[in-house]
């Protein structure tokens, strides 16, 4: 069952006054308790909510394999430590040198994989001082 199934099942009409008839309140209470059961059963389920482990962290089995920004803004990781740790390999799709220079969001500290367009050897580059530079010798990457 989807989580939560139906917020409209939480009705207090027959529960908000001391003079309310308990028999009238019974179906409202039952529906509300069913929704609480849905919340409990929705933990770690599809269309539910991810549970937390003993360290108050979301278990890796509950995290998606792909994260895609749903807006026109960049996806940002901002850990409190200021460091993002990657425990394996980063794979970057190469961009041609002209495509790298054509970006409108260039900022110092960006890294990319530059291709000269002939699909032979792609090289890692970084952006600094208004130009893309090769990691190997800090020389400027030509724009074409």
């Amino acid at each position: 069952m989807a989580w939560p199934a139906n917020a409209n099942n939480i009705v207090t009409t027959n529960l908000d006054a001391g003079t309310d008839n308990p028999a009238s309140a019974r179906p409202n209470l039952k529906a509300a308790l069913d929704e609480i059961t849905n919340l409990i059963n929705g933990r770690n389920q599809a269309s539910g909510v991810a549970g937390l482990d003993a360290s108050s962290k979301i278990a890796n089995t509950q995290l998606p394999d792909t994260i895609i920004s749903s807006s026109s803004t960049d996806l940002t990781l901002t850990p409190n430590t200021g460091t993002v740790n990657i425990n394996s390999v980063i794979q970057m799709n190469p961009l041609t040198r002209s495509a790298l220079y054509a970006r409108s969001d260039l900022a110092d500290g960006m890294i990319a994989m530059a291709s000269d367009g002939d699909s032979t050897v792609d090289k890692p580059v970084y952006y600094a001082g208004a130009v893309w530079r090769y990691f190997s010798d800090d020389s400027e990457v030509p724009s074409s």
Side-chain angles (χ1 to χ4, degrees):
M1 179 173 282
W3 182 91
N6 189 349
N8 293 328
N9 283 340
I10 311 298
V11 178
T12 60
T13 306
N14 295 309
L15 304 169
D16 54 3
T19 57
D20 286 341
N21 182 336
S24 299
R26 185 188 178 288
N28 299 138
L29 290 169
K30 172 70 168 100
L33 290 172
D34 287 346
E35 291 307 314
I36 291 172
T37 301
N38 289 336
L39 292 175
I40 293 167
N41 292 338
R43 182 175 183 257
N44 294 328
Q45 299 298 314
S47 298
V49 63
L52 301 179
D53 65 14
S55 300
S56 296
K57 307 276 190 242
I58 297 173
N60 62 347
T61 56
Q62 294 298 307
L63 296 172
D65 292 329
T66 302
I67 299 172
I68 301 172
S69 177
S70 62
S71 65
S72 61
T73 60
D74 294 335
L75 183 62
T76 303
L77 301 175
T78 310
N80 286 339
T81 62
T83 302
V84 174
N85 292 315
I86 298 180
N87 296 325
S88 195
V89 175
I90 296 175
Q91 179 180 349
M92 294 185 283
N93 293 325
L95 296 173
T96 62
R97 296 178 305 204
S98 58
L100 287 171
Y101 276 104
R103 294 181 63 99
S104 62
D105 61 345
L106 294 173
D108 284 357
M110 290 181 148
I111 59 171
M113 195 60 106
S115 167
D116 59 11
D118 67 4
S119 301
T120 54
V121 178
D122 303 321
K123 296 181 181 175
V125 296
Y126 67 96
Y127 192 80
V131 295
W132 286 99
R133 299 182 180 279
Y134 290 108
F135 275 96
S136 59
D137 62 5
D138 293 327
S139 65
E140 184 176 334
V141 177
S143 61
S144 60

mmCIF file of all heavy atoms in Angstrom, residues 100-101 107-114 123-141:
data_model
loop_
_atom_site.group_PDB
_atom_site.id
_atom_site.type_symbol
_atom_site.label_atom_id
_atom_site.label_comp_id
_atom_site.label_asym_id
_atom_site.label_seq_id
_atom_site.Cartn_x
_atom_site.Cartn_y
_atom_site.Cartn_z
ATOM 1 N N LEU A 100 33.635 23.021 -23.649
ATOM 2 C CA LEU A 100 34.041 23.463 -22.314
ATOM 3 C C LEU A 100 34.074 24.986 -22.230
ATOM 4 O O LEU A 100 33.589 25.579 -21.269
ATOM 5 C CB LEU A 100 35.413 22.887 -21.953
ATOM 6 C CG LEU A 100 35.439 21.399 -21.626
ATOM 7 C CD1 LEU A 100 36.876 20.905 -21.510
ATOM 8 C CD2 LEU A 100 34.675 21.135 -20.340
ATOM 9 N N TYR A 101 34.647 25.624 -23.229
ATOM 10 C CA TYR A 101 34.733 27.088 -23.226
ATOM 11 C C TYR A 101 33.382 27.755 -23.472
ATOM 12 O O TYR A 101 33.178 28.905 -23.098
ATOM 13 C CB TYR A 101 35.762 27.573 -24.255
ATOM 14 C CG TYR A 101 37.174 27.556 -23.724
ATOM 15 C CD1 TYR A 101 38.066 26.563 -24.118
ATOM 16 C CD2 TYR A 101 37.612 28.520 -22.826
ATOM 17 C CE1 TYR A 101 39.360 26.534 -23.631
ATOM 18 C CE2 TYR A 101 38.902 28.506 -22.335
ATOM 19 C CZ TYR A 101 39.773 27.506 -22.735
ATOM 20 O OH TYR A 101 41.066 27.495 -22.239
ATOM 21 N N ALA A 107 33.606 28.602 -13.589
ATOM 22 C CA ALA A 107 34.085 29.127 -12.312
ATOM 23 C C ALA A 107 35.362 28.395 -11.933
ATOM 24 O O ALA A 107 35.518 27.204 -12.207
ATOM 25 C CB ALA A 107 33.026 28.939 -11.222
ATOM 26 N N ASP A 108 36.269 29.101 -11.301
ATOM 27 C CA ASP A 108 37.512 28.491 -10.843
ATOM 28 C C ASP A 108 37.211 27.267 -9.990
ATOM 29 O O ASP A 108 36.282 27.264 -9.175
ATOM 30 C CB ASP A 108 38.332 29.481 -10.029
ATOM 31 C CG ASP A 108 39.038 30.517 -10.902
ATOM 32 O OD1 ASP A 108 38.936 30.421 -12.141
ATOM 33 O OD2 ASP A 108 39.689 31.409 -10.338
ATOM 34 N N GLY A 109 37.982 26.203 -10.197
ATOM 35 C CA GLY A 109 37.820 24.978 -9.432
ATOM 36 C C GLY A 109 37.051 23.891 -10.160
ATOM 37 O O GLY A 109 37.008 22.753 -9.694
ATOM 38 N N MET A 110 36.440 24.212 -11.287
ATOM 39 C CA MET A 110 35.734 23.178 -12.049
ATOM 40 C C MET A 110 36.742 22.201 -12.634
ATOM 41 O O MET A 110 37.864 22.586 -12.986
ATOM 42 C CB MET A 110 34.928 23.793 -13.190
ATOM 43 C CG MET A 110 33.731 24.578 -12.750
ATOM 44 S SD MET A 110 32.871 25.223 -14.209
ATOM 45 C CE MET A 110 31.207 25.209 -13.598
ATOM 46 N N ILE A 111 36.358 20.929 -12.723
ATOM 47 C CA ILE A 111 37.195 19.937 -13.387
ATOM 48 C C ILE A 111 36.351 19.243 -14.452
ATOM 49 O O ILE A 111 35.128 19.173 -14.348
ATOM 50 C CB ILE A 111 37.790 18.905 -12.410
ATOM 51 C CG1 ILE A 111 36.700 18.153 -11.663
ATOM 52 C CG2 ILE A 111 38.750 19.556 -11.452
ATOM 53 C CD1 ILE A 111 37.228 16.983 -10.858
ATOM 54 N N ALA A 112 37.022 18.758 -15.477
ATOM 55 C CA ALA A 112 36.314 18.106 -16.576
ATOM 56 C C ALA A 112 37.278 17.182 -17.295
ATOM 57 O O ALA A 112 38.477 17.153 -17.012
ATOM 58 C CB ALA A 112 35.761 19.158 -17.543
ATOM 59 N N MET A 113 36.745 16.452 -18.249
ATOM 60 C CA MET A 113 37.546 15.631 -19.131
ATOM 61 C C MET A 113 37.428 16.258 -20.516
ATOM 62 O O MET A 113 36.325 16.413 -21.049
ATOM 63 C CB MET A 113 37.013 14.200 -19.125
ATOM 64 C CG MET A 113 37.960 13.208 -19.713
ATOM 65 S SD MET A 113 39.501 13.165 -18.809
ATOM 66 C CE MET A 113 39.337 11.643 -17.955
ATOM 67 N N ALA A 114 38.558 16.695 -21.072
ATOM 68 C CA ALA A 114 38.554 17.406 -22.349
ATOM 69 C C ALA A 114 38.918 16.468 -23.487
ATOM 70 O O ALA A 114 39.846 15.674 -23.388
ATOM 71 C CB ALA A 114 39.537 18.567 -22.307
ATOM 72 N N LYS A 123 41.738 14.127 -21.837
ATOM 73 C CA LYS A 123 42.637 14.515 -20.761
ATOM 74 C C LYS A 123 41.878 15.279 -19.681
ATOM 75 O O LYS A 123 41.021 16.102 -19.985
ATOM 76 C CB LYS A 123 43.755 15.404 -21.305
ATOM 77 C CG LYS A 123 44.660 14.696 -22.289
ATOM 78 C CD LYS A 123 45.759 15.611 -22.774
ATOM 79 C CE LYS A 123 46.636 14.876 -23.777
ATOM 80 N NZ LYS A 123 47.636 15.776 -24.345
ATOM 81 N N PRO A 124 42.230 15.027 -18.403
ATOM 82 C CA PRO A 124 41.599 15.782 -17.324
ATOM 83 C C PRO A 124 42.096 17.226 -17.324
ATOM 84 O O PRO A 124 43.286 17.479 -17.542
ATOM 85 C CB PRO A 124 42.032 15.042 -16.058
ATOM 86 C CG PRO A 124 43.265 14.303 -16.442
ATOM 87 C CD PRO A 124 43.167 14.034 -17.898
ATOM 88 N N VAL A 125 41.152 18.146 -17.086
ATOM 89 C CA VAL A 125 41.483 19.572 -17.076
ATOM 90 C C VAL A 125 40.775 20.240 -15.904
ATOM 91 O O VAL A 125 39.838 19.691 -15.333
ATOM 92 C CB VAL A 125 41.072 20.260 -18.399
ATOM 93 C CG1 VAL A 125 41.864 19.706 -19.577
ATOM 94 C CG2 VAL A 125 39.573 20.106 -18.663
ATOM 95 N N TYR A 126 41.257 21.420 -15.534
ATOM 96 C CA TYR A 126 40.602 22.213 -14.483
ATOM 97 C C TYR A 126 40.509 23.653 -14.954
ATOM 98 O O TYR A 126 41.281 24.107 -15.811
ATOM 99 C CB TYR A 126 41.354 22.101 -13.154
ATOM 100 C CG TYR A 126 42.723 22.726 -13.158
ATOM 101 C CD1 TYR A 126 42.926 24.024 -12.684
ATOM 102 C CD2 TYR A 126 43.832 22.021 -13.631
ATOM 103 C CE1 TYR A 126 44.181 24.607 -12.690
ATOM 104 C CE2 TYR A 126 45.086 22.591 -13.636
ATOM 105 C CZ TYR A 126 45.262 23.885 -13.163
ATOM 106 O OH TYR A 126 46.510 24.453 -13.173
ATOM 107 N N TYR A 127 39.543 24.376 -14.407
ATOM 108 C CA TYR A 127 39.318 25.771 -14.795
ATOM 109 C C TYR A 127 39.906 26.682 -13.724
ATOM 110 O O TYR A 127 39.593 26.548 -12.538
ATOM 111 C CB TYR A 127 37.827 26.049 -14.967
ATOM 112 C CG TYR A 127 37.541 27.371 -15.637
ATOM 113 C CD1 TYR A 127 37.638 27.495 -17.011
ATOM 114 C CD2 TYR A 127 37.187 28.491 -14.897
ATOM 115 C CE1 TYR A 127 37.381 28.701 -17.644
ATOM 116 C CE2 TYR A 127 36.924 29.701 -15.517
ATOM 117 C CZ TYR A 127 37.025 29.801 -16.893
ATOM 118 O OH TYR A 127 36.770 30.996 -17.516
ATOM 119 N N ALA A 128 40.787 27.588 -14.139
ATOM 120 C CA ALA A 128 41.396 28.547 -13.211
ATOM 121 C C ALA A 128 41.893 29.754 -13.986
ATOM 122 O O ALA A 128 42.449 29.612 -15.077
ATOM 123 C CB ALA A 128 42.549 27.911 -12.447
ATOM 124 N N GLY A 129 41.679 30.935 -13.431
ATOM 125 C CA GLY A 129 42.177 32.149 -14.071
ATOM 126 C C GLY A 129 41.586 32.406 -15.438
ATOM 127 O O GLY A 129 42.273 32.840 -16.353
ATOM 128 N N ALA A 130 40.317 32.098 -15.608
ATOM 129 C CA ALA A 130 39.553 32.360 -16.831
ATOM 130 C C ALA A 130 39.914 31.448 -18.001
ATOM 131 O O ALA A 130 39.551 31.735 -19.141
ATOM 132 C CB ALA A 130 39.666 33.821 -17.247
ATOM 133 N N VAL A 131 40.653 30.356 -17.744
ATOM 134 C CA VAL A 131 40.958 29.401 -18.810
ATOM 135 C C VAL A 131 40.917 27.981 -18.254
ATOM 136 O O VAL A 131 41.081 27.755 -17.056
ATOM 137 C CB VAL A 131 42.344 29.646 -19.455
ATOM 138 C CG1 VAL A 131 42.388 30.984 -20.163
ATOM 139 C CG2 VAL A 131 43.460 29.525 -18.433
ATOM 140 N N TRP A 132 40.712 27.023 -19.155
ATOM 141 C CA TRP A 132 40.858 25.612 -18.809
ATOM 142 C C TRP A 132 42.335 25.273 -18.888
ATOM 143 O O TRP A 132 43.042 25.723 -19.785
ATOM 144 C CB TRP A 132 40.063 24.738 -19.779
ATOM 145 C CG TRP A 132 38.583 24.799 -19.546
ATOM 146 C CD1 TRP A 132 37.671 25.554 -20.228
ATOM 147 C CD2 TRP A 132 37.855 24.095 -18.543
ATOM 148 N NE1 TRP A 132 36.415 25.356 -19.711
ATOM 149 C CE2 TRP A 132 36.502 24.465 -18.663
ATOM 150 C CE3 TRP A 132 38.206 23.191 -17.541
ATOM 151 C CZ2 TRP A 132 35.503 23.954 -17.843
ATOM 152 C CZ3 TRP A 132 37.223 22.677 -16.716
ATOM 153 C CH2 TRP A 132 35.884 23.064 -16.871
ATOM 154 N N ARG A 133 42.822 24.469 -17.938
ATOM 155 C CA ARG A 133 44.232 24.101 -17.885
ATOM 156 C C ARG A 133 44.369 22.585 -17.749
ATOM 157 O O ARG A 133 43.540 21.937 -17.120
ATOM 158 C CB ARG A 133 44.921 24.772 -16.698
ATOM 159 C CG ARG A 133 44.882 26.285 -16.766
ATOM 160 C CD ARG A 133 45.629 26.909 -15.588
ATOM 161 N NE ARG A 133 45.573 28.348 -15.660
ATOM 162 C CZ ARG A 133 46.341 29.112 -16.416
ATOM 163 N NH1 ARG A 133 47.261 28.555 -17.176
ATOM 164 N NH2 ARG A 133 46.224 30.417 -16.425
ATOM 165 N N TYR A 134 45.463 22.072 -18.332
ATOM 166 C CA TYR A 134 45.760 20.654 -18.192
ATOM 167 C C TYR A 134 46.357 20.392 -16.810
ATOM 168 O O TYR A 134 47.191 21.155 -16.330
ATOM 169 C CB TYR A 134 46.753 20.196 -19.264
ATOM 170 C CG TYR A 134 46.156 20.180 -20.659
ATOM 171 C CD1 TYR A 134 46.531 21.128 -21.598
ATOM 172 C CD2 TYR A 134 45.239 19.204 -21.022
ATOM 173 C CE1 TYR A 134 45.989 21.115 -22.878
ATOM 174 C CE2 TYR A 134 44.691 19.184 -22.295
ATOM 175 C CZ TYR A 134 45.070 20.141 -23.209
ATOM 176 O OH TYR A 134 44.527 20.134 -24.466
ATOM 177 N N PHE A 135 45.947 19.309 -16.179
ATOM 178 C CA PHE A 135 46.526 18.924 -14.894
ATOM 179 C C PHE A 135 48.011 18.600 -15.041
ATOM 180 O O PHE A 135 48.796 18.860 -14.142
ATOM 181 C CB PHE A 135 45.817 17.677 -14.319
ATOM 182 C CG PHE A 135 44.570 17.985 -13.546
ATOM 183 C CD1 PHE A 135 43.328 17.910 -14.146
ATOM 184 C CD2 PHE A 135 44.642 18.343 -12.213
ATOM 185 C CE1 PHE A 135 42.172 18.172 -13.425
ATOM 186 C CE2 PHE A 135 43.492 18.611 -11.481
ATOM 187 C CZ PHE A 135 42.255 18.534 -12.090
ATOM 188 N N SER A 136 48.392 18.011 -16.156
ATOM 189 C CA SER A 136 49.759 17.503 -16.323
ATOM 190 C C SER A 136 50.824 18.573 -16.214
ATOM 191 O O SER A 136 51.879 18.346 -15.653
ATOM 192 C CB SER A 136 49.869 16.768 -17.642
ATOM 193 O OG SER A 136 49.547 17.622 -18.718
ATOM 194 N N ASP A 137 50.557 19.777 -16.762
ATOM 195 C CA ASP A 137 51.601 20.811 -16.746
ATOM 196 C C ASP A 137 51.075 22.229 -16.566
ATOM 197 O O ASP A 137 51.815 23.192 -16.749
ATOM 198 C CB ASP A 137 52.419 20.734 -18.032
ATOM 199 C CG ASP A 137 51.590 20.986 -19.285
ATOM 200 O OD1 ASP A 137 50.388 21.314 -19.168
ATOM 201 O OD2 ASP A 137 52.146 20.848 -20.394
ATOM 202 N N ASP A 138 49.809 22.375 -16.205
ATOM 203 C CA ASP A 138 49.155 23.679 -15.988
ATOM 204 C C ASP A 138 49.084 24.531 -17.246
ATOM 205 O O ASP A 138 48.754 25.727 -17.162
ATOM 206 C CB ASP A 138 49.861 24.471 -14.877
ATOM 207 C CG ASP A 138 49.699 23.817 -13.525
ATOM 208 O OD1 ASP A 138 48.637 23.209 -13.290
ATOM 209 O OD2 ASP A 138 50.626 23.905 -12.710
ATOM 210 N N SER A 139 49.391 23.964 -18.418
ATOM 211 C CA SER A 139 49.305 24.762 -19.637
ATOM 212 C C SER A 139 47.852 24.977 -20.024
ATOM 213 O O SER A 139 46.965 24.208 -19.652
ATOM 214 C CB SER A 139 50.059 24.080 -20.789
ATOM 215 O OG SER A 139 49.449 22.849 -21.124
ATOM 216 N N GLU A 140 47.614 26.048 -20.770
ATOM 217 C CA GLU A 140 46.261 26.412 -21.175
ATOM 218 C C GLU A 140 45.743 25.456 -22.233
ATOM 219 O O GLU A 140 46.453 25.078 -23.160
ATOM 220 C CB GLU A 140 46.240 27.840 -21.704
ATOM 221 C CG GLU A 140 44.859 28.343 -22.055
ATOM 222 C CD GLU A 140 44.852 29.800 -22.499
ATOM 223 O OE1 GLU A 140 45.737 30.551 -22.112
ATOM 224 O OE2 GLU A 140 43.926 30.160 -23.236
ATOM 225 N N VAL A 141 44.484 25.085 -22.095
ATOM 226 C CA VAL A 141 43.812 24.238 -23.080
ATOM 227 C C VAL A 141 43.321 25.154 -24.199
ATOM 228 O O VAL A 141 42.575 26.109 -23.939
ATOM 229 C CB VAL A 141 42.611 23.490 -22.455
ATOM 230 C CG1 VAL A 141 41.865 22.676 -23.498
ATOM 231 C CG2 VAL A 141 43.078 22.609 -21.306
#
